[in-house]
Amino acid sequence: AVLADMVSLVRYALGHSETLQPMSAEAVARFNLWVGREKRAGRDYTDEQMRWLALIRDHVAANVEVTLDDLQEVPSFADEGGRIAANRLFGRDRLPGLLEELSDTLIGGAEAA
């Protein structure tokens, strides 16, 4: 979480953010906007997928990124079935892009919000 909060501090210092707030709060807000855009684009997620997306959001907010290896190695993901479960839920072809998209959206520049 320290690294993620450093990103927030630097973004604020450079004038890319008008307020200084913990990355977790900013990530939640950006995540909610992303979910709204997904719904408008016709992509609905099941409750199980939303639970996973929230786990990914929280991981990104604390660690700045999420990788396929994290899905297997980080206990919060491993306890839910790891990479195999994530592939089943989101599709093997979609999962890498989804992880990258969420990392970019949640931590990316102000234009991602």
Side-chain angles (χ1 to χ4, degrees), residues 1 5 8 10 13 23 28 35 37-38 40-41 48 60 74-75 79-80 94 107 111:
D5 288 338
S8 288
V10 169
M23 181 56 72
V28 168
V35 169
R37 286 192 304 267
E38 289 290 286
R40 284 190 301 279
E48 187 176 12
V60 170
V74 174
D79 291 348
E80 295 292 326
R94 170 81 172 112
I107 302 299
E111 69 280 355

Side-chain angles (χ1 to χ4, degrees), residues 6-62:
M6 288 293 291
V7 170
S8 288
L9 181 60
V10 169
R11 189 175 289 145
Y12 177 74
L14 293 174
H16 295 286
S17 177
E18 293 181 13
T19 60
L20 182 60
Q21 61 183 349
M23 181 56 72
S24 58
E26 190 172 334
V28 168
R30 288 175 179 229
F31 177 77
N32 291 337
L33 289 171
W34 178 84
V35 169
R37 286 192 304 267
E38 289 290 286
K39 285 184 180 187
R40 284 190 301 279
R43 290 183 288 272
D44 289 316
Y45 294 98
T46 67
D47 289 343
E48 187 176 12
Q49 287 173 320
M50 286 302 296
R51 188 173 68 248
W52 265 86
L53 290 170
L55 288 172
I56 293 167
R57 175 201 64 208
D58 295 346
H59 183 82
V60 170

